[in-house]
Amino acid sequence: MAGYAARHDDRQRHRFGAPGGDTPAAASAAARPAAEPPPAARPPGTAGPPAARRGSYRRLSVEARRAELLTAALGLFAHRVPEDVSLDDVAAAAGASRPLVYRYFPGGKQQLYEAALRSAADELERCFEEPRSGPLSGRLSRVLDRYLAFVDEHDAGFSALLQSGSVVETSRTNAIVDEVRRTAAEEILLHLAVKEPGVRLRMMVRTWITAVEAASLIWLDEEKQPPVEELRDWLVDHFVALLTATATTDPQAARVIRAALVIEPAEGPVGRLARRVVPALGEASHLL
């Protein structure tokens, strides 16, 4: 995995630096440790706010309040395209005020969207983290279960993000999305246990990641049909088919698939695929 460690370090620096491509001024404003202002003092003898209002006020740390606003924004961006979400919507969802949202995100909606996207990207990248043990098909299935659950939960936001065309799309948002794709490919390559993947193996994995992304968008467009379990199994079949085809012309891919097939159970996804493929190719004997 030449260059993997360097790219991983770059991602870590980006992840824990100014979130979502925030400008230095915005990151500095969000990081100031100032506590939220206390409720305004009342003149002696005047009535206080209703009990419900008093109970709803919460003093939170800068980090906790910022996380709360991001969570509210993510919930809205998940089910509505970005241009249909306003700062007032985010404030209402978080039980905050518009000025408070601006205090934490002085860059306004663009900065908030990029920060929310960064947070969602981190979550999506974690979908591809999987222990490297057991049959490869099982590992891929668990990765896809998490990925497709994310797609299902963030349907409208996922579509708007990957189909582009949003008025809040920038080079920074595009870079965040591309990072997710590259991270996903690198995680899958780690499961193939190859120290230095060649160009054909890298292309094969990145092609599969692109197919997963496209299939997810089509699945949403088709009102989440077929059932998600069938979609997952179909995508695992795609990976096996791509790897098999690549192995016919690439010695490195051939070694990978031989090692993978040794530990695949007969009743697992690869065994079932093999039993379906043989009859399907029964009429192709004249090609041999």
Side-chain angles (χ1 to χ4, degrees):
M1 288 298 297
Y4 170 77
R7 289 195 297 273
H8 180 74
D9 289 340
D10 287 342
R11 287 202 310 276
Q12 292 298 96
R13 286 194 296 271
H14 178 76
R15 186 172 299 165
F16 295 105
D22 296 349
T23 62
S28 175
R32 282 198 295 268
E36 292 184 22
R42 298 189 303 273
T46 58
R53 289 282 302 277
R54 287 199 303 270
S56 66
Y57 183 81
R58 293 174 298 150
R59 293 176 63 83
L60 299 176
S61 68
V62 168
E63 293 77 12
R65 178 63 80 183
R66 189 175 192 278
E68 184 178 67
L69 292 172
L70 276 177
T71 298
L74 274 171
L76 294 170
F77 289 133
H79 302 293
R80 292 154 61 182
V81 295
E83 45 266 45
D84 288 346
V85 177
S86 69
L87 289 183
D88 287 331
D89 293 332
V90 174
S97 65
R98 182 185 177 94
L100 185 64
V101 178
Y102 264 114
R103 176 181 174 184
Y104 284 84
F105 299 96
K109 178 176 171 177
Q110 182 65 48
Q111 183 187 357
L112 178 59
Y113 176 67
E114 290 177 9
L117 177 58
R118 175 71 265 169
S119 178
D122 289 346
E123 181 181 346
L124 195 51
E125 287 176 11
R126 287 192 292 271
C127 292
F128 289 89
E129 296 175 359
E130 175 71 22
R132 294 191 289 278
S133 61
L136 180 61
S137 62
R139 290 179 251 167
L140 292 174
S141 294
R142 290 188 291 274
V143 165
L144 287 168
D145 279 340
R146 292 190 291 270
Y147 181 90
L148 294 172
F150 180 95
V151 173
D152 188 20
E153 181 182 355
H154 300 82
D155 44 14
F158 184 86
S159 295
L161 169 64
L162 294 182
Q163 290 178 326
S164 302
S166 170
V167 295
V168 294
E169 179 186 4
T170 67
S171 60
R172 290 192 297 272
T173 61
N174 290 337
I176 292 171
V177 175
D178 189 57
E179 178 195 320
V180 173
R181 294 169 179 146
R182 290 181 179 276
T183 298
E186 288 169 358
E187 289 289 341
I188 296 300
L189 283 167
L190 287 175
H191 288 276
L192 302 185
V194 177
K195 290 184 178 179
E196 295 290 338
V199 62
R200 293 193 182 190
L201 204 53
R202 294 198 307 272
M203 286 182 65
M204 178 236 117
V205 171
R206 292 183 66 180
T207 297
W208 183 72
I209 295 297
T210 301
V212 169
E213 184 179 294
S216 300
L217 288 170
I218 296 169
W219 181 67
L220 293 177
D221 193 50
E222 294 289 341
E223 299 181 350
K224 300 182 181 179
Q225 290 297 322
V228 68
E229 294 83 5
E230 291 183 22
L231 176 61
R232 175 204 61 206
D233 292 345
W234 185 62
L235 289 171
V236 171
D237 288 349
H238 274 213
F239 186 92
V240 175
L242 273 173
L243 182 57
T244 301
T246 307
T248 62
T249 56
D250 181 57
Q252 188 179 58
R255 290 192 295 272
V256 167
I257 197 168
R258 282 197 297 268
L261 291 177
V262 167
I263 60 173
E264 285 289 339
E267 296 306 316
V270 179
R272 292 193 296 270
L273 175 62
R275 289 190 292 275
R276 293 197 307 271
V277 167
V278 171
L281 297 178
E283 301 301 321
S285 59
H286 66 286
L287 299 176
L288 301 178

